[in-house]
């Protein structure tokens, strides 16, 4: 049963602490993405990766870091440098070949910084 | 600079009627467009897409129209059902851009659709 999993569903952290959000996919997708959604706003791209051991900054990368050591995994670390980390975080993945850019999304992680 | 815009934050429609959701874009390099549906506290799910070589794509109750000269696309849902109530996002990409831009989607702000029984 293929898909994208994100854990945990809800996450609470104290201000000043780094926190890592997990994203795993078993769809054999080449590319993986991290988005952030805030109330009343669309999805904004944080980071994306097209191949293992390579990734690019999206539109709002400041205060975040990622790694892509395995094709299946793309964890996102929200650092203490992120000024407003409370948000709903979405991970997605897609094939790159064939020009079809349909991205499949995970269920999301809601991060609340207290 | 918002390259993909959904100017209507919300839309309310009676069950059985047509829902029309609109989306405008400014980047002429965009050549592939998608619509996603999202329920609260869940990830978006893909609905329908259209390539810039077409001006219409249909899938069941959902039809997407693309007007390249106006840089405008719309999603029609006929007939609308209460289960269609959700947030709808349009997204765009440049599939022929190559390099690090390949595969990158730019999303609009979303439109909340409410279908009343």
């Amino acid at each position: 049963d293929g898909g994208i999993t994100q854990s945990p569903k809800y996450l609470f952290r104290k201000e000043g602490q780094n926190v890592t959000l997990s994203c795993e996919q078993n769809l054999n997708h080449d590319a993986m993405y991290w988005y952030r959604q805030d109330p009343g706003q669309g999805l904004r791209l944080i980071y994306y990766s097209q191949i293992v051991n390579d990734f690019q900054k999206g539109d709002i990368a400041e205060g975040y870091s990622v790694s892509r050591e395995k094709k299946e995994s793309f964890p996102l670390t929200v650092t203490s440098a992120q000024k407003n980390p409370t948000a709903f975080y979405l991970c997605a993945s897609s094939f790159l070949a064939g020009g079809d850019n349909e991205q499949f999304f995970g269920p999301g992680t809601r991060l609340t910084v207290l | 600079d918002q390259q993909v815009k959904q100017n209507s934050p919300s839309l309310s429609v009676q069950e059985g009627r047509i829902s029309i959701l609109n989306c405008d874009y400014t980047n002429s390099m965009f050549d592939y467009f998608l619509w996603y549906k999202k329920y609260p506290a869940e990830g978006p799910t893909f609905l329908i897409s259209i390539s810039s070589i077409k001006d219409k794509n249909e899938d069941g109750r959902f039809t997407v129209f693309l007007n390249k000269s106006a840089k405008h696309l719309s999603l029609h849902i006929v007939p609308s059902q209460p289960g269609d109530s959700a947030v709808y996002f349009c997204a765009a990409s440049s599939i022929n851009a190559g390099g690090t831009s390949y595969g990158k989607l730019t999303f609009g702000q979303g439109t909340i659709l409410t279908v009343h029984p």
Side-chain angles (χ1 to χ4, degrees):
Chain A
D1 194 14
I4 303 174
T5 57
Q6 290 184 245
S7 61
K9 182 74 171 176
Y10 299 96
L11 189 56
F12 296 88
R13 279 295 182 267
K14 291 184 179 180
E15 193 172 345
Q17 290 182 333
N18 291 357
V19 59
T20 297
L21 281 59
S22 168
C23 178
E24 304 279 333
Q25 55 97 2
N26 60 5
L27 300 167
N28 199 32
H29 283 167
D30 305 293
M32 297 187 74
Y33 313 81
W34 274 105
Y35 294 89
R36 167 182 173 140
Q37 187 189 16
D38 295 282
Q41 296 194 36
L43 280 65
R44 293 185 289 166
L45 184 63
I46 304 172
Y47 267 100
Y48 63 111
S49 167
Q50 295 174 313
I51 57 172
V52 174
N53 293 322
D54 188 41
F55 46 83
Q56 288 79 42
K57 291 182 179 180
D59 301 317
I60 54 166
E62 185 177 351
Y64 299 98
S65 65
V66 293
S67 63
R68 186 89 186 275
E69 297 177 2
K70 298 186 301 182
K71 187 176 183 178
E72 302 79 19
S73 178
F74 191 41
L76 172 76
T77 297
V78 184
T79 75
S80 56
Q82 168 50 233
K83 294 178 182 177
N84 187 18
T86 295
F88 189 52
Y89 290 88
L90 288 157
C91 178
S93 67
S94 70
F95 290 115
L96 289 186
D100 183 341
N101 285 345
E102 176 189 341
Q103 293 182 13
F104 293 83
F105 284 82
T109 293
R110 180 162 298 282
L111 172 64
T112 302
V113 175
L114 306 170
Chain B
D1 177 31
Q2 189 129 21
Q3 298 185 64
V4 178
K5 296 180 182 179
Q6 294 175 255
N7 291 318
S8 298
S10 62
L11 175 68
S12 183
V13 172
Q14 204 70 30
E15 181 178 7
R17 299 289 185 102
I18 184 172
S19 295
I20 300 177
L21 298 116
N22 294 304
C23 180
D24 297 293
Y25 62 97
T26 57
N27 189 339
S28 58
M29 295 298 292
F30 288 147
D31 50 17
Y32 191 73
F33 304 89
L34 308 89
W35 283 94
Y36 283 86
K37 175 181 180 180
K38 184 182 180 302
Y39 293 114
E42 293 184 10
T45 54
F46 171 75
L47 267 179
I48 192 169
S49 62
I50 188 167
S51 164
S52 59
I53 62 173
K54 295 184 176 181
D55 54 17
K56 177 182 175 181
N57 189 26
E58 193 171 353
D59 184 3
R61 297 186 297 114
F62 302 91
T63 303
V64 56
F65 295 92
L66 176 62
N67 183 334
K68 289 186 290 293
S69 61
K71 293 189 176 67
H72 176 83
L73 64 154
S74 60
L75 174 68
H76 292 211
I77 305 174
V78 183
S80 301
Q81 300 173 353
D84 295 329
S85 298
V87 180
Y88 289 78
F89 291 99
C90 71
S93 71
S94 303
I95 65 173
N96 293 312
T100 57
S101 296
Y102 191 67
K104 181 181 174 184
L105 287 180
T106 301
F107 283 83
Q109 312 95 302
T111 297
I112 301 170
L113 173 65
T114 304
V115 180
H116 298 283

